[in-house]
Amino acid sequence: MRDNCTCSYHPNAWVTQSQDVVRCAPMRCDGMKDLNFKTFLFALVVLVLGSVAGRADIVRTERVESELVNEYSTVAPGQTLWIGLRQKLIPHWHTYWKNPGDSGEPTSIEWTLPDGASIGEIQWPAPKPIDVGPLRNFGYEGEYFLLSRLTVPNEGLGDQLDIRAKAYWLVCEEICIPEEGELTLSLPVDPSGPVADPIWASEIEATLAGLPRQFDGAAHITIEEDLTLSLAAPEIADVLSGASGFSAFFFPEKDGYIENAADQLIMAGEGGISLQMQPGFRIGKEDAPERMSGVLVVTNDVEGLDDAQVTAFEVDAVAGPVLPGTADRVMLEDGEPVSAFGIGLGQALIFGLLGGLILNLMPCVFPILSLKALAFVKESSEPARIRVGGLAYTAGVIATFLALALILIGIRAGGEAAGWAFHLQNPLVLALLTYLMFAVGLNLSGVFNVGMAVNVAGGGTGASGSFMTGVLAVVIASPCTAPFMASALGFALTQGTLTTLAVFGALGLGMAIPYLALSFSPSLINLMPKPGPWMDGFKQVLAFPVYLTAAWLLWVLSKQISPDSLFLVLIGIVCVGFGAWLFGRLPELRTKSWQWSGAAASAMVIVISLLLLQGLTPRESVAGTGEVTSTSENRLSYIEYSPETVDALLAEGKTVFANFTADWCITCKVNERVALDRPKVVSLFNEMDVVAVKGDWTNRNEEIARTLQAHGSPGVPLYLVYRPDGTGGSTATVEPMKLPQILTQKTVLDALSLEQE
């Protein structure tokens, strides 16, 4: 046995082995005679230090080395200090946290203390997830410390304080072995004051610094299909500052709250982070817990540092909605942003440029772009003015896209779901746009044609007119969605503020590029017709598509407000027309006083038209049937969408076609006309017994908004085909086929035909 003795690094300790237990005691190895002089001096120093240091036994098994450690080498009466269990595991083996996860048993310690002494609870370090086959456990690998706070009695102490502990632990790799050890620690009593332990004081200090700290911000648990833990600033914001990426994992204090082996989807925002988890067996929608405690471990990579920083928080979350600004974007495990479309920032910027470019071909913007073309013709003889106008128009387009992005960011930070064309869900905005387009039409018809009114209509020759034309073009273009836009917007709305603004800016630049290029191309300008009397007639012709746009906006508004409110809007439109007519007659009035009176009357009538909008009330929905459209040979018959409806249909073995649309979405209406409401498509739906459901997003609907967000869509249209999996699956488990936003009859037929193959 002497030949196999090894020396522990703890002062005044060496090791011999007896079965599975190693005891430390003072002894001299036979090899001492071979020590040189320097080694002898070193051993002598260790022995001298050990004469005043606490003595501890080390227990070794084949897999784990265990011993008691202490913050101070000596103690004084009434002192408090940290002591604990140190364990060091061989590679690939692990022990368990207080919630062991899917299997295992936490380490426990039974203390035997002198009379009058007391000890606190174990301070558990943050665990790590440990995957073993299909299971996920929570525990420790390598070396770790389980610390407790010891209080020394004020009296009755002798020369030393003797502490005993019996520890039980389960150590596992592919198999699990229960082990135990009896440990002792003797600390000399020195009334003059404690002395820091030269070996363990720094290790204990480091362990204490890494313990989970209390999370002081708001924390909510929200249970719907998933369990979402959302945490707001200030703590998380401090940890994430300067991070190039981060990951997070939540360890519930009690078993059964989450499915441990399921992935935890990390979402982030400027207000904090959210983790979306699969509920465990203790969780039910009808019996949701009022609070949930646990440890959140956040790992962030700070630029300039070699190692990632790990911070753990003790979280006590209460039931409530997802906190605003905590779920704006989805993160990968390594902390890099990812979108539901699987594209990066570079692709999103390119898609934004292409989408903005194609947006010029959408029917929404034809009337406004015709006005811009008319302005180019007016200034064709002045290239410098055309270049200024092109730059101003570009600035107006990009500024409006950026403004829409900021509004969207603000709405989503407030905890509400919003997407592209969100403003068209607001009846007041629709009414104001209807007024505006009607006024633009009157301007083109020659009812009024003075000053800024001309510029707003897009017919002016100044930079301000070009800028306002750009603003108007974007606002009117919002009901349309061009190819590539969905991917770009879907990515942008899951990212941070700067990335979102960059993608929206690319959309604006793409939309403005044709006119910017035309304004700086003399050869193209020379091809334009010369100004002449024909322009007045052409300008008046352009008024009619603008009136048509106003009529369409009014039709959309009629789907959102009550008949009485619609009548108020119609009166307002008459007031706008009367006010515009008065404004156009001002130059004919002979005296200044009459002109001022006419201007005041015109302004008063316009104010009346605006005041009428205060009384708008929403349209009452007809509930109970769930029917959206009636059956027709050439039109699909829909039932109203809800996740529960789709779940029930899938449980019956039905294939479900989900159409998410809105009355203000022109792309949606075109798709229905050219691709869905076609005899071949309707016939195939009936032949295959496919059930069509419609999610109408004309008015705000949080349930539909959540569905759009879940499938990475920034807005409508969205088309999904759900097929039963034969196991009674639901929308939570069945992955639907996602169709493109621009449909053709062949696209729909091919998607449904896959069911027959």
Side-chain angles (χ1 to χ4, degrees), residues 105-138:
E105 190 71 25
T107 299
S108 63
I109 307 173
E110 296 177 358
W111 297 96
T112 302
L113 305 173
D115 292 341
S118 62
I119 195 163
E121 297 292 328
I122 294 175
Q123 302 300 303
W124 295 88
K128 61 181 296 185
I130 301 170
D131 294 331
V132 182
L135 305 179
R136 174 167 290 168
N137 298 326
F138 306 148

Side-chain angles (χ1 to χ4, degrees), residues 147-401:
L147 301 178
S148 298
R149 193 70 167 165
L150 173 70
T151 301
V152 180
N154 287 311
E155 53 187 23
L157 295 174
D159 294 335
Q160 65 181 22
L161 185 72
D162 294 323
I163 300 169
R164 295 183 179 277
K166 190 166 187 177
Y168 303 86
W169 62 88
L170 186 66
V171 59
C172 301
E173 188 193 28
E174 294 181 355
I175 61 171
C176 289
I177 301 173
E179 296 184 345
E180 62 183 69
E182 293 187 3
L183 306 155
T184 62
L185 176 65
S186 297
L187 298 173
V189 176
D190 184 359
S192 64
V195 176
D197 190 277
I199 300 297
W200 301 121
S202 60
E203 297 285 349
I204 290 175
E205 182 181 2
T207 298
L208 292 172
L211 289 177
R213 67 191 199 215
Q214 188 63 42
F215 179 73
D216 295 328
H220 283 183
I221 50 169
T222 309
I223 299 175
E224 294 172 347
E225 292 295 330
D226 297 303
L227 186 153
T228 301
L229 171 68
S230 54
L231 302 101
E235 289 285 350
I236 293 296
D238 292 341
V239 173
L240 300 183
S241 60
S244 57
F246 73 94
S247 62
F249 195 92
F250 179 71
F251 301 87
E253 191 172 287
K254 294 182 179 180
D255 187 30
Y257 281 97
I258 67 171
E259 286 294 334
N260 301 319
D263 291 335
Q264 297 187 7
L265 179 65
I266 308 168
M267 296 172 286
E270 295 183 354
I273 67 171
S274 291
L275 277 75
Q276 195 174 88
M277 298 167 280
Q278 186 174 331
F281 64 87
R282 294 183 187 271
I283 303 295
K285 288 184 179 179
E286 296 80 15
D287 187 25
E290 294 184 359
R291 61 192 326 118
M292 182 175 69
S293 299
V295 170
L296 176 72
V297 178
V298 178
T299 304
N300 64 317
D301 297 319
V302 180
E303 191 172 350
L305 297 181
D306 294 333
D307 298 326
Q309 294 182 342
V310 179
T311 307
F313 298 95
E314 287 187 354
V315 175
D316 185 20
V318 298
V322 176
L323 291 166
T326 65
D328 296 341
R329 60 188 186 276
V330 179
M331 310 297 291
L332 283 171
E333 288 184 0
D334 61 0
E336 293 300 320
V338 65
S339 77
F341 296 90
I343 65 174
L345 177 58
Q347 288 175 285
L349 292 174
I350 293 173
F351 284 3
L353 281 169
L354 292 173
L357 185 64
I358 299 173
L359 197 60
N360 289 292
L361 303 177
M362 295 291 116
C364 319
V365 294
F366 277 162
I368 303 303
L369 298 185
S370 299
L371 299 178
K372 186 59 186 170
L374 184 62
F376 272 174
V377 172
K378 285 183 179 180
E379 299 172 344
S380 59
S381 60
E382 302 178 76
R385 292 176 64 87
I386 289 182
R387 287 193 292 271
V388 171
L391 290 172
Y393 173 78
T394 301
V397 170
I398 294 176
T400 308
F401 266 103

